[in-house]
Amino acid sequence: MGIPLSRPDITEAEIKEVRSVLLSGRLSLGPYLERFEKAVADYVSAQHAVAVSSGTAGLHLALLASGIQPGDHIITTPFSFIASANVILYVGARPVFVDVEPDTGNISPQAIERKISKEYIKRGNRWVCRMDGMPLSALIPVHVFGHPCRMDEINEIAHERNLIVIEDACEAMGSLYINRMGERIHTGTMGKIGVFAFYPNKQMTTGEGGIVVSGDEKLTQTIRSLSNQGRDDMGTWLWHPRLGYNYRMDEMSAALGLVQIKRMEEMGAKRRAVMRSYNEHLAVLEGIETPPEHPYAEANPFVYVVKVKQGDRDDLMRYLASRGIETRPYFTPIHLQPVYGERFGFKRGMFPVAEELGERCLALPFHNNLKEEEIAFVAESIKIWLERRIKKNGKRDKKIKGAAEAKPG
Ligand SMILES: *Cc1c(COP(=O)(O)O)cnc(C)c1O
Protein backbone atom coordinates (compact mmCIF):
# COMPACT_ATOMS: atom_id res chain seq x y z
CA MET A 1 0.00 0.00 0.00
CA GLY A 2 1.66 3.24 -1.18
CA ILE A 3 0.15 6.54 -0.13
CA PRO A 4 1.58 9.64 -1.85
CA LEU A 5 1.96 12.95 -0.04
CA SER A 6 -0.29 14.78 -2.50
CA ARG A 7 -2.12 14.38 -5.80
CA PRO A 8 -3.84 16.87 -8.06
CA ASP A 9 -7.61 16.47 -8.55
CA ILE A 10 -8.11 16.35 -12.32
CA THR A 11 -11.40 15.32 -13.92
CA GLU A 12 -12.62 14.83 -17.50
CA ALA A 13 -13.73 18.48 -17.49
CA GLU A 14 -10.13 19.71 -17.16
CA ILE A 15 -8.94 17.30 -19.85
CA LYS A 16 -11.67 18.44 -22.21
CA GLU A 17 -10.87 22.13 -21.70
CA VAL A 18 -7.09 21.74 -22.15
CA ARG A 19 -7.71 19.63 -25.24
CA SER A 20 -9.83 22.35 -26.76
CA VAL A 21 -6.95 24.81 -26.30
CA LEU A 22 -4.60 22.44 -28.09
CA LEU A 23 -7.07 22.03 -30.93
CA SER A 24 -7.62 25.79 -31.21
CA GLY A 25 -3.97 26.48 -32.10
CA ARG A 26 -3.87 29.50 -29.79
CA LEU A 27 -1.53 28.47 -26.98
CA SER A 28 -0.65 31.82 -25.39
CA LEU A 29 -2.31 35.19 -24.72
CA GLY A 30 -5.74 33.94 -25.72
CA PRO A 31 -9.28 33.96 -24.38
CA TYR A 32 -8.67 31.50 -21.53
CA LEU A 33 -6.16 33.79 -19.83
CA GLU A 34 -8.71 36.59 -19.54
CA ARG A 35 -11.49 34.25 -18.47
CA PHE A 36 -9.28 32.66 -15.85
CA GLU A 37 -8.19 36.00 -14.40
CA LYS A 38 -11.80 37.18 -14.22
CA ALA A 39 -12.92 33.92 -12.57
CA VAL A 40 -10.21 34.09 -9.89
CA ALA A 41 -10.88 37.78 -9.20
CA ASP A 42 -14.59 37.02 -8.80
CA TYR A 43 -13.94 34.02 -6.58
CA VAL A 44 -11.75 35.86 -4.07
CA SER A 45 -13.61 39.20 -4.52
CA ALA A 46 -10.58 41.08 -5.83
CA GLN A 47 -10.87 43.89 -8.35
CA HIS A 48 -7.95 42.95 -10.56
CA ALA A 49 -5.96 39.82 -11.30
CA VAL A 50 -2.91 39.05 -13.44
CA ALA A 51 -2.10 35.39 -14.07
CA VAL A 52 1.59 34.56 -14.15
CA SER A 53 3.90 31.59 -14.67
CA SER A 54 4.38 30.76 -10.97
CA GLY A 55 3.67 31.98 -7.47
CA THR A 56 7.31 32.99 -7.17
CA ALA A 57 7.07 35.08 -10.35
CA GLY A 58 3.95 36.74 -8.94
CA LEU A 59 5.70 37.66 -5.69
CA HIS A 60 8.71 38.97 -7.60
CA LEU A 61 6.49 41.25 -9.69
CA ALA A 62 4.53 42.34 -6.62
CA LEU A 63 7.76 43.63 -5.07
CA LEU A 64 8.94 45.29 -8.29
CA ALA A 65 5.61 47.00 -8.92
CA SER A 66 5.49 48.22 -5.30
CA GLY A 67 8.66 50.16 -5.93
CA ILE A 68 10.84 48.27 -3.46
CA GLN A 69 14.39 49.61 -3.80
CA PRO A 70 17.71 47.81 -3.36
CA GLY A 71 18.70 47.97 0.31
CA ASP A 72 15.12 48.37 1.58
CA HIS A 73 14.21 46.28 4.60
CA ILE A 74 11.24 43.92 4.37
CA ILE A 75 9.79 42.13 7.36
CA THR A 76 8.77 38.53 6.78
CA THR A 77 8.72 35.09 8.32
CA PRO A 78 11.54 32.53 8.49
CA PHE A 79 8.96 29.71 8.69
CA SER A 80 7.88 29.40 5.06
CA PHE A 81 8.71 27.95 1.69
CA ILE A 82 11.93 29.63 0.60
CA ALA A 83 10.32 31.54 -2.32
CA SER A 84 8.63 34.05 0.00
CA ALA A 85 12.07 35.32 1.07
CA ASN A 86 13.97 34.69 -2.17
CA VAL A 87 11.92 37.31 -4.00
CA ILE A 88 13.23 39.88 -1.50
CA LEU A 89 16.76 38.99 -2.59
CA TYR A 90 15.74 39.15 -6.29
CA VAL A 91 15.07 42.89 -5.90
CA GLY A 92 18.18 43.50 -3.80
CA ALA A 93 16.25 44.20 -0.60
CA ARG A 94 17.01 42.76 2.84
CA PRO A 95 14.81 40.15 4.52
CA VAL A 96 14.17 41.01 8.16
CA PHE A 97 12.89 37.88 9.85
CA VAL A 98 10.78 37.85 12.99
CA ASP A 99 9.63 34.80 14.88
CA VAL A 100 6.28 33.02 14.51
CA GLU A 101 3.35 31.82 16.59
CA PRO A 102 3.91 28.35 18.05
CA ASP A 103 0.53 26.94 17.01
CA THR A 104 -0.14 28.25 13.49
CA GLY A 105 3.48 28.85 12.51
CA ASN A 106 2.36 32.22 11.12
CA ILE A 107 4.28 35.46 11.63
CA SER A 108 3.64 36.89 15.08
CA PRO A 109 2.27 40.47 15.15
CA GLN A 110 3.87 40.97 18.59
CA ALA A 111 7.23 39.90 17.23
CA ILE A 112 6.85 42.39 14.35
CA GLU A 113 6.02 45.16 16.79
CA ARG A 114 8.98 44.30 19.05
CA LYS A 115 11.37 44.23 16.10
CA ILE A 116 10.28 47.61 14.75
CA SER A 117 10.28 49.30 18.17
CA LYS A 118 13.75 48.01 18.91
CA GLU A 119 15.56 48.46 15.61
CA TYR A 120 13.82 51.24 13.65
CA ILE A 121 13.25 54.93 14.21
CA LYS A 122 10.88 57.36 12.57
CA ARG A 123 12.34 59.68 9.95
CA GLY A 124 9.79 61.81 8.13
CA ASN A 125 6.92 59.50 7.32
CA ARG A 126 9.11 56.41 7.13
CA TRP A 127 10.79 54.12 9.60
CA VAL A 128 14.48 53.55 9.07
CA CYS A 129 16.93 51.05 10.53
CA ARG A 130 19.01 52.39 13.44
CA MET A 131 22.01 50.40 12.17
CA ASP A 132 22.21 51.13 8.43
CA GLY A 133 19.69 53.95 7.97
CA MET A 134 17.80 52.04 5.29
CA PRO A 135 13.99 52.31 5.14
CA LEU A 136 11.60 49.62 6.25
CA SER A 137 9.28 49.48 3.28
CA ALA A 138 7.13 46.37 3.30
CA LEU A 139 5.73 43.44 5.20
CA ILE A 140 5.20 40.00 3.68
CA PRO A 141 2.95 37.79 5.80
CA VAL A 142 2.64 34.18 4.64
CA HIS A 143 -0.55 32.22 5.38
CA VAL A 144 1.33 29.08 6.30
CA PHE A 145 -0.29 25.72 5.44
CA GLY A 146 -3.43 27.66 4.43
CA HIS A 147 -4.11 29.06 7.89
CA PRO A 148 -4.75 32.83 7.75
CA CYS A 149 -2.39 35.20 9.57
CA ARG A 150 -3.76 37.67 12.12
CA MET A 151 -4.41 40.27 9.45
CA ASP A 152 -6.19 42.88 11.60
CA GLU A 153 -3.10 43.25 13.77
CA ILE A 154 -0.70 43.05 10.82
CA ASN A 155 -2.55 45.70 8.82
CA GLU A 156 -2.67 47.94 11.87
CA ILE A 157 1.09 47.79 12.30
CA ALA A 158 1.58 48.35 8.57
CA HIS A 159 -0.72 51.35 8.64
CA GLU A 160 1.05 52.94 11.62
CA ARG A 161 4.51 52.42 10.13
CA ASN A 162 3.63 53.19 6.52
CA LEU A 163 4.49 49.72 5.21
CA ILE A 164 3.19 48.05 2.06
CA VAL A 165 1.57 44.68 2.80
CA ILE A 166 2.13 41.96 0.22
CA GLU A 167 0.30 38.79 1.19
CA ASP A 168 1.93 35.54 0.23
CA ALA A 169 -1.30 33.55 -0.09
CA CYS A 170 0.42 30.86 -2.16
CA GLU A 171 -0.66 28.22 0.36
CA ALA A 172 -4.06 29.72 1.09
CA MET A 173 -6.36 29.73 -1.94
CA GLY A 174 -9.92 29.51 -0.63
CA SER A 175 -9.04 30.29 3.01
CA LEU A 176 -11.08 32.92 4.82
CA TYR A 177 -10.10 35.34 7.54
CA ILE A 178 -12.80 36.61 9.88
CA ASN A 179 -11.94 40.15 10.82
CA ARG A 180 -12.92 42.20 13.89
CA MET A 181 -16.10 43.31 12.17
CA GLY A 182 -17.04 39.67 11.65
CA GLU A 183 -16.58 39.89 7.88
CA ARG A 184 -15.29 36.77 6.10
CA ILE A 185 -12.52 37.84 3.73
CA HIS A 186 -10.40 35.81 1.34
CA THR A 187 -6.72 35.60 2.19
CA GLY A 188 -4.76 37.44 -0.45
CA THR A 189 -7.20 40.37 -0.58
CA MET A 190 -6.36 42.15 2.67
CA GLY A 191 -3.06 43.74 1.72
CA LYS A 192 -2.04 46.01 -1.15
CA ILE A 193 -1.25 42.95 -3.26
CA GLY A 194 -1.88 39.23 -2.80
CA VAL A 195 -0.32 36.30 -4.60
CA PHE A 196 -1.64 32.75 -5.08
CA ALA A 197 0.25 29.76 -6.48
CA PHE A 198 -1.05 26.84 -8.52
CA TYR A 199 1.74 24.27 -8.36
CA PRO A 200 0.22 20.73 -8.48
CA ASN A 201 0.29 20.22 -4.69
CA LYS A 202 -1.71 23.40 -3.94
CA GLN A 203 -5.48 23.64 -3.32
CA MET A 204 -5.99 24.08 -7.07
CA THR A 205 -3.53 23.74 -9.92
CA THR A 206 -2.60 25.04 -13.36
CA GLY A 207 0.52 22.84 -13.54
CA GLU A 208 2.99 25.65 -13.00
CA GLY A 209 1.31 28.99 -12.39
CA GLY A 210 0.22 31.74 -10.08
CA ILE A 211 -1.85 34.89 -9.94
CA VAL A 212 -1.46 38.37 -8.50
CA VAL A 213 -4.57 40.14 -7.17
CA SER A 214 -5.00 43.73 -6.09
CA GLY A 215 -7.52 46.50 -5.70
CA ASP A 216 -5.08 48.98 -7.26
CA GLU A 217 -5.64 49.30 -11.00
CA LYS A 218 -2.43 51.13 -11.83
CA LEU A 219 -0.33 48.66 -9.87
CA THR A 220 -2.05 45.80 -11.67
CA GLN A 221 -1.29 47.37 -15.05
CA THR A 222 2.36 47.64 -14.10
CA ILE A 223 2.40 43.99 -13.02
CA ARG A 224 0.79 42.93 -16.29
CA SER A 225 3.35 44.88 -18.26
CA LEU A 226 6.25 43.48 -16.19
CA SER A 227 4.97 39.94 -16.76
CA ASN A 228 4.90 40.54 -20.51
CA GLN A 229 8.40 41.84 -21.38
CA GLY A 230 7.56 45.39 -20.36
CA ARG A 231 4.96 45.83 -23.09
CA ASP A 232 2.06 48.16 -22.34
CA ASP A 233 -1.58 48.01 -23.40
CA MET A 234 -1.18 50.75 -25.99
CA GLY A 235 2.05 49.64 -27.57
CA THR A 236 2.83 47.21 -30.31
CA TRP A 237 4.40 43.77 -29.89
CA LEU A 238 7.98 45.01 -30.17
CA TRP A 239 7.71 48.16 -28.10
CA HIS A 240 8.96 47.88 -24.49
CA PRO A 241 8.58 50.99 -22.31
CA ARG A 242 10.12 49.26 -19.25
CA LEU A 243 12.37 46.37 -18.33
CA GLY A 244 10.08 43.36 -18.14
CA TYR A 245 10.13 39.61 -17.81
CA ASN A 246 8.46 36.68 -19.46
CA TYR A 247 6.28 35.55 -16.58
CA ARG A 248 3.15 34.89 -18.65
CA MET A 249 0.74 32.05 -18.02
CA ASP A 250 0.00 29.96 -21.12
CA GLU A 251 -3.46 29.01 -22.40
CA MET A 252 -3.27 25.33 -21.38
CA SER A 253 -2.61 26.36 -17.80
CA ALA A 254 -5.34 28.99 -17.87
CA ALA A 255 -7.87 26.47 -19.26
CA LEU A 256 -6.93 23.97 -16.55
CA GLY A 257 -7.21 26.71 -13.94
CA LEU A 258 -10.57 27.89 -15.23
CA VAL A 259 -12.11 24.48 -14.57
CA GLN A 260 -10.32 24.17 -11.23
CA ILE A 261 -11.48 27.56 -9.93
CA LYS A 262 -15.07 26.63 -10.79
CA ARG A 263 -14.60 23.47 -8.72
CA MET A 264 -13.16 25.26 -5.65
CA GLU A 265 -16.29 24.82 -3.58
CA GLU A 266 -16.45 21.10 -4.27
CA MET A 267 -12.70 20.59 -3.86
CA GLY A 268 -12.58 22.64 -0.66
CA ALA A 269 -15.38 20.55 0.85
CA LYS A 270 -13.43 17.39 0.05
CA ARG A 271 -10.23 18.80 1.56
CA ARG A 272 -11.96 19.85 4.74
CA ALA A 273 -13.62 16.43 5.05
CA VAL A 274 -10.20 14.76 4.81
CA MET A 275 -8.88 17.17 7.44
CA ARG A 276 -11.80 16.44 9.79
CA SER A 277 -11.33 12.72 9.41
CA TYR A 278 -7.61 13.02 10.23
CA ASN A 279 -8.46 15.22 13.24
CA GLU A 280 -10.89 12.62 14.56
CA HIS A 281 -8.48 9.73 14.10
CA LEU A 282 -5.53 11.56 15.60
CA ALA A 283 -7.23 13.49 18.42
CA VAL A 284 -7.22 10.34 20.58
CA LEU A 285 -3.47 9.83 20.16
CA GLU A 286 -1.39 11.35 22.92
CA GLY A 287 1.87 12.77 21.60
CA ILE A 288 0.51 13.99 18.24
CA GLU A 289 -0.71 17.58 17.90
CA THR A 290 -3.32 18.20 15.19
CA PRO A 291 -3.54 21.52 13.27
CA PRO A 292 -4.79 24.55 15.25
CA GLU A 293 -8.27 26.00 14.83
CA HIS A 294 -9.08 29.63 15.63
CA PRO A 295 -12.34 31.57 15.59
CA TYR A 296 -10.75 34.10 13.22
CA ALA A 297 -9.86 31.47 10.63
CA GLU A 298 -11.70 29.29 8.15
CA ALA A 299 -8.78 27.58 6.53
CA ASN A 300 -8.83 25.68 3.27
CA PRO A 301 -5.82 23.58 4.20
CA PHE A 302 -2.86 23.31 1.82
CA VAL A 303 -1.24 20.43 3.70
CA TYR A 304 -2.16 18.44 6.79
CA VAL A 305 0.63 19.01 9.28
CA VAL A 306 0.96 17.42 12.70
CA LYS A 307 3.44 18.30 15.41
CA VAL A 308 5.50 15.50 16.91
CA LYS A 309 7.50 15.60 20.14
CA GLN A 310 10.88 17.24 19.56
CA GLY A 311 13.51 14.70 18.55
CA ASP A 312 10.94 12.12 17.42
CA ARG A 313 9.77 13.50 14.07
CA ASP A 314 12.37 11.90 11.81
CA ASP A 315 11.91 8.51 13.44
CA LEU A 316 8.17 8.69 12.78
CA MET A 317 8.88 9.73 9.21
CA ARG A 318 11.13 6.70 8.66
CA TYR A 319 8.60 4.38 10.22
CA LEU A 320 5.78 5.70 8.02
CA ALA A 321 8.02 5.42 4.94
CA SER A 322 8.62 1.75 5.81
CA ARG A 323 4.84 1.31 5.56
CA GLY A 324 4.66 3.06 2.19
CA ILE A 325 3.37 6.34 3.59
CA GLU A 326 4.99 9.42 2.09
CA THR A 327 5.46 12.40 4.44
CA ARG A 328 7.51 15.59 4.41
CA PRO A 329 9.11 17.67 7.16
CA TYR A 330 7.79 21.25 6.89
CA PHE A 331 9.85 23.57 6.85
CA THR A 332 13.57 23.92 7.30
CA PRO A 333 13.44 27.57 8.43
CA ILE A 334 14.72 29.97 5.78
CA HIS A 335 17.35 31.59 8.01
CA LEU A 336 19.02 28.19 8.31
CA GLN A 337 19.20 27.69 4.53
CA PRO A 338 22.76 27.97 3.19
CA VAL A 339 22.19 31.07 1.04
CA TYR A 340 20.79 33.05 3.96
CA GLY A 341 23.42 31.94 6.47
CA GLU A 342 26.21 32.91 4.06
CA ARG A 343 24.77 36.26 3.02
CA PHE A 344 23.34 37.54 6.26
CA GLY A 345 25.03 35.55 9.01
CA PHE A 346 21.79 34.10 10.35
CA LYS A 347 22.40 31.37 12.91
CA ARG A 348 20.53 28.66 14.78
CA GLY A 349 18.94 30.08 17.91
CA MET A 350 17.82 33.38 16.35
CA PHE A 351 14.19 32.34 15.79
CA PRO A 352 13.57 29.58 18.33
CA VAL A 353 9.85 29.08 17.66
CA ALA A 354 10.38 28.67 13.91
CA GLU A 355 13.29 26.33 14.59
CA GLU A 356 11.29 24.18 16.99
CA LEU A 357 8.43 23.94 14.48
CA GLY A 358 10.96 23.03 11.81
CA GLU A 359 11.97 20.04 13.92
CA ARG A 360 8.47 19.00 14.96
CA CYS A 361 6.21 19.51 11.93
CA LEU A 362 5.37 16.63 9.63
CA ALA A 363 3.04 16.78 6.64
CA LEU A 364 0.97 13.62 6.21
CA PRO A 365 -0.51 12.42 2.90
CA PHE A 366 -3.22 14.92 2.01
CA HIS A 367 -5.32 15.46 -1.09
CA ASN A 368 -8.95 15.80 -2.11
CA ASN A 369 -9.46 12.14 -2.93
CA LEU A 370 -7.62 10.54 -0.03
CA LYS A 371 -9.79 7.57 0.98
CA GLU A 372 -11.13 6.95 4.46
CA GLU A 373 -9.25 3.64 4.65
CA GLU A 374 -6.00 5.39 3.69
CA ILE A 375 -6.51 7.96 6.46
CA ALA A 376 -7.26 5.14 8.90
CA PHE A 377 -4.10 3.30 7.80
CA VAL A 378 -1.95 6.40 8.34
CA ALA A 379 -3.52 6.98 11.77
CA GLU A 380 -3.14 3.31 12.73
CA SER A 381 0.52 3.40 11.68
CA ILE A 382 1.14 6.47 13.83
CA LYS A 383 -0.57 4.71 16.73
CA ILE A 384 1.68 1.66 16.39
CA TRP A 385 4.74 3.91 16.24
CA LEU A 386 3.63 5.79 19.37
CA GLU A 387 3.11 2.54 21.30
CA ARG A 388 6.54 1.25 20.32
CA ARG A 389 8.03 4.59 21.24
CA ILE A 390 6.51 4.50 24.70
CA LYS A 391 7.79 0.94 25.23
CA LYS A 392 11.28 1.87 24.06
CA ASN A 393 11.40 5.03 26.20
CA GLY A 394 10.07 3.02 29.16
CA LYS A 395 12.95 0.56 28.79
CA ARG A 396 15.44 3.40 28.52
CA ASP A 397 14.01 5.08 31.62
CA LYS A 398 14.30 1.79 33.52
CA LYS A 399 17.92 1.43 32.40
CA ILE A 400 18.75 4.98 33.55
CA LYS A 401 16.97 4.37 36.83
CA GLY A 402 18.72 1.02 37.25
CA ALA A 403 22.12 2.60 36.57
CA ALA A 404 21.43 5.34 39.13
CA GLU A 405 20.45 2.80 41.75
CA ALA A 406 23.52 0.68 41.08
CA LYS A 407 25.77 3.62 41.91
CA PRO A 408 27.36 3.33 45.32
CA GLY A 409 26.49 5.95 47.91
C1 LIG B 1 4.18 27.39 -3.26
C2 LIG B 1 4.62 28.62 -2.62
C3 LIG B 1 5.10 29.73 -3.33
C4 LIG B 1 5.23 29.79 -4.83
O1 LIG B 1 5.48 28.63 -5.42
P1 LIG B 1 5.66 28.41 -6.99
O2 LIG B 1 6.17 27.01 -7.02
O3 LIG B 1 6.63 29.40 -7.49
O4 LIG B 1 4.34 28.54 -7.65
C5 LIG B 1 5.45 30.86 -2.63
N1 LIG B 1 5.34 30.92 -1.29
C6 LIG B 1 4.90 29.88 -0.57
C7 LIG B 1 4.79 30.04 0.91
C8 LIG B 1 4.55 28.69 -1.20
O5 LIG B 1 4.14 27.65 -0.47
Side-chain angles (χ1 to χ4, degrees):
M1 191 167 179
I3 307 182
L5 187 62
S6 88
R7 235 188 118 80
D9 184 355
I10 304 294
T11 66
E12 280 305 319
E14 281 88 343
I15 295 168
K16 186 167 159 264
E17 212 69 35
V18 174
R19 190 180 140 83
S20 84
V21 174
L22 294 171
L23 293 173
S24 79
R26 186 151 178 195
L27 307 189
S28 184
L29 290 171
Y32 278 100
L33 183 63
E34 258 174 63
R35 285 173 67 194
F36 178 56
E37 287 174 343
K38 170 93 174 53
V40 173
D42 287 349
Y43 175 75
V44 301
S45 305
Q47 268 165 302
H48 310 281
V50 182
V52 288
S53 53
S54 71
T56 308
L59 287 165
H60 184 192
L61 297 187
L63 292 187
L64 285 170
S66 301
I68 305 296
Q69 297 298 309
D72 280 7
H73 289 202
I74 298 180
I75 291 186
T76 191
T77 170
F79 191 67
S80 172
F81 180 58
I82 198 164
S84 64
N86 278 354
V87 294
I88 298 174
L89 306 199
Y90 295 172
V91 300
R94 170 179 275 267
V96 177
F97 294 125
V98 302
D99 216 341
V100 299
E101 302 175 327
D103 59 345
T104 61
N106 282 334
I107 195 163
S108 152
Q110 286 83 14
I112 299 173
E113 190 54 55
R114 271 197 303 276
K115 185 84 181 174
I116 299 177
S117 308
K118 211 171 113 201
E119 297 183 15
Y120 295 83
I121 48 169
K122 195 165 187 204
R123 188 167 295 160
N125 63 352
R126 309 204 73 177
W127 293 74
V128 300
C129 177
R130 289 175 193 270
M131 304 278 284
D132 66 9
M134 298 306 286
L136 185 60
S137 55
L139 227 165
I140 306 182
V142 182
H143 306 292
V144 172
F145 308 148
H147 193 290
C149 293
R150 295 181 186 273
M151 289 309 294
D152 279 334
E153 287 86 343
I154 289 170
N155 276 334
E156 223 164 72
I157 295 171
H159 183 73
E160 275 169 24
R161 315 292 169 121
N162 203 10
L163 306 175
I164 297 166
V165 174
I166 297 166
E167 282 179 84
D168 180 341
C170 289
E171 300 189 355
M173 182 49 133
S175 291
L176 300 172
Y177 174 74
I178 299 155
N179 72 6
R180 276 187 203 132
M181 318 286 287
E183 296 161 325
R184 298 158 77 242
I185 310 173
H186 272 273
T187 55
T189 63
M190 292 172 276
K192 183 133 183 112
I193 308 179
V195 182
F196 297 98
F198 304 128
Y199 189 73
N201 68 347
K202 313 271 179 179
Q203 290 90 336
M204 60 165 276
T205 187
T206 59
E208 297 285 356
I211 202 161
V212 186
V213 299
S214 176
D216 186 324
E217 189 176 5
K218 195 148 163 275
L219 201 65
T220 322
Q221 275 170 358
T222 307
I223 289 171
R224 189 177 299 287
S225 166
L226 288 169
S227 76
N228 188 20
Q229 305 283 19
R231 296 180 179 104
D232 61 22
D233 285 348
M234 308 296 140
T236 54
W237 189 245
L238 295 177
W239 180 246
H240 310 270
R242 57 166 65 84
L243 176 66
Y245 301 79
N246 178 359
Y247 282 168
R248 295 183 303 261
M249 175 179 277
D250 65 59
E251 284 286 284
M252 289 76 76
S253 295
L256 175 51
L258 186 63
V259 180
Q260 291 259 297
I261 190 80
K262 288 182 187 160
R263 293 182 55 221
M264 273 305 284
E265 201 98 346
E266 169 220 333
M267 292 197 297
K270 286 198 219 160
R271 273 184 117 69
R272 284 187 290 274
V274 172
M275 176 173 72
R276 273 196 301 278
S277 173
Y278 260 129
N279 283 346
E280 278 163 25
H281 278 98
L282 299 178
V284 294
L285 301 184
E286 218 163 296
I288 294 291
E289 241 178 87
T290 54
E293 288 175 57
H294 285 286
Y296 66 82
E298 251 172 64
N300 182 27
F302 158 53
V303 279
Y304 187 85
V305 172
V306 294
K307 299 189 189 83
V308 188
K309 205 170 127 238
Q310 201 153 14
D312 280 357
R313 196 257 326 265
D314 294 355
D315 194 66
L316 172 58
M317 204 171 117
R318 278 189 295 272
Y319 179 68
L320 294 178
S322 78
R323 302 197 25 125
I325 299 167
E326 194 187 354
T327 60
R328 182 171 294 162
Y330 264 94
F331 299 98
T332 299
I334 300 172
H335 68 285
L336 301 179
Q337 301 282 355
V339 176
Y340 289 78
E342 282 158 25
R343 281 212 200 178
F344 303 102
F346 293 123
K347 293 210 162 44
R348 194 170 284 281
M350 285 181 157
F351 307 101
V353 183
E355 289 166 27
E356 187 184 323
L357 288 175
E359 290 171 12
R360 292 185 56 206
C361 285
L362 188 66
L364 303 179
F366 186 70
H367 57 83
N368 301 355
N369 298 309
L370 197 64
K371 293 194 202 76
E372 183 53 36
E373 59 261 35
E374 292 176 307
I375 300 170
F377 180 72
V378 174
E380 179 61 22
S381 303
I382 295 175
K383 190 173 165 214
I384 296 169
W385 175 83
L386 279 168
E387 282 163 359
R388 287 190 185 175
R389 200 78 191 157
I390 290 164
K391 247 186 233 155
K392 205 167 129 204
N393 288 346
K395 261 189 208 147
R396 199 187 58 199
D397 291 348
K398 233 185 227 162
K399 233 194 241 162
I400 294 167
K401 199 162 164 247
E405 278 165 1
K407 258 190 212 157

